[in-house]
Amino acid sequence: MDQNRIDTASERAEDMMPHRADDATANAPANDALPERPETDRKPGVGAKKHFSCAFVYGPGAGVVMNTDSLTEKRVALVLLARPDVVKLENQVGFIWEARDGSTHTHFFDFRATMVDGIRVAIMVKYDAKLKQEEFRAEIAEIATQVTPEFADRVTLMTEKHLDPIDVFNATLFNSVRHPDDEADAIMRQTIRRLNGAAKVGDLIAHTGLKGRGFRSIARLIGSRELALQERVRVDYDSLVMRGVA
């Protein structure tokens, strides 16, 4: 099953609901500004023919471009960007390390995440199959031991097996609807202020009459923690939401 599809049991909602999280397009920034170029120590090979690569835009306003070398990298980035405890995410951060023969090399950490408590985490993203290679495991262990607090407080490695499809789906959706729709968002905020307990996403949309704009607004409010999912599920018309803590 395509992890990027939104499953829904309600056929009446299909005309309002995006088939893919990426299709839930948001309003363009009012000033039509171009997104900022990424600041990296290495530029991933976007457009490579032998493996997946991509560029996507994230963040408020016109946003910032992020380039990734693999689909797993892109998914890790989106999930990290959606986490409330991550305040900054750097991409392709160079670190100089010394091999056992005395030669020096530069390892580019795929990400460096700064957490709300100030802790910085250097993140390697690899395919799980790569971990079966003894030489690779020895190399990344050597790199990790040389990382100092000036660069990062700890090092972690992530593979596709560390990603939950629910997190990937919702994070992709949140990023795709990141631009506000002032009118729809104001109506939805007014509606949820009167919310006691939990309500179905579809019922809130029906109450406001906002249709697809209502779905995107609810996704934004979940992403900003103004709404919260009652259970750990993909956001769809049958999801139950309640007021959040934001």
Side-chain angles (χ1 to χ4, degrees):
M1 181 171 61
D2 185 354
Q3 290 184 353
N4 287 323
R5 286 191 65 84
I6 299 179
D7 299 325
T8 176
S10 178
E11 292 184 0
R12 64 177 174 78
E14 285 188 351
D15 62 328
M16 297 188 290
M17 188 161 185
H19 292 292
R20 289 167 52 92
D22 298 292
D23 293 336
T25 54
N27 299 334
N31 59 4
D32 293 325
L34 294 174
E36 294 180 19
R37 292 180 178 272
E39 295 183 4
T40 62
D41 294 331
R42 167 186 170 271
K43 183 178 180 181
V46 173
K49 296 181 179 179
K50 294 185 179 180
H51 63 84
F52 177 96
S53 63
C54 83
F56 70 94
V57 179
Y58 69 97
V64 180
V65 175
M66 181 175 288
N67 299 317
T68 63
D69 272 328
S70 71
L71 181 58
T72 300
E73 276 185 37
K74 178 185 178 182
R75 289 172 171 171
V76 167
L78 288 169
V79 169
L80 290 171
L81 289 166
R83 285 178 52 164
D85 58 342
V86 175
V87 296
K88 182 180 180 181
L89 187 65
E90 299 168 87
N91 181 217
Q92 296 298 323
V93 186
F95 174 74
I96 298 174
W97 65 287
E98 184 176 312
R100 292 185 178 182
D101 62 4
S103 60
T104 58
H105 307 268
T106 301
H107 175 83
F108 294 93
F109 282 91
D110 296 294
F111 303 107
R112 183 168 61 185
T114 302
M115 316 305 287
V116 291
D117 59 3
I119 295 293
R120 293 188 301 170
V121 184
I123 303 168
M124 302 177 183
V125 179
K126 301 295 179 184
Y127 289 113
D128 187 71
K130 186 83 171 176
L131 300 183
K132 297 178 182 178
Q133 302 175 14
E134 184 176 348
E135 183 178 349
F136 171 74
R137 294 199 307 272
E139 180 178 301
I140 62 175
E142 184 65 32
I143 294 170
T145 61
Q146 295 184 31
V147 170
T148 64
E150 288 73 28
F151 182 83
D153 297 285
R154 61 186 177 90
V155 175
T156 190
L157 185 143
M158 296 185 67
T159 75
E160 69 277 12
K161 293 190 174 181
H162 293 108
L163 293 171
D164 187 307
I166 292 174
D167 292 338
V168 173
F169 178 86
N170 288 344
T172 303
L173 174 62
F174 298 154
N175 189 65
S176 71
V177 300
R178 68 190 183 281
H179 296 305
D181 178 340
D182 293 337
E183 181 185 32
D185 293 347
I187 293 171
M188 195 60 72
R189 285 190 176 102
Q190 185 177 15
T191 299
I192 67 174
R193 275 199 293 268
R194 300 190 297 268
L195 185 61
N196 291 316
K200 276 189 177 183
V201 168
D203 291 340
L204 291 173
I205 294 169
H207 177 77
T208 59
L210 289 170
K211 299 186 178 180
R213 292 171 69 198
F215 178 81
R216 293 189 286 273
S217 179
I218 287 174
R220 272 190 295 279
L221 297 180
I222 296 172
S224 64
R225 273 67 190 178
E226 294 175 68
L227 279 174
L229 290 164
Q230 188 178 57
E231 298 178 350
R232 199 169 181 283
V233 295
R234 295 183 180 191
V235 180
D236 68 15
Y237 277 70
D238 290 323
S239 302
L240 290 169
V241 293
M242 50 193 177
R243 285 188 294 178
V245 296

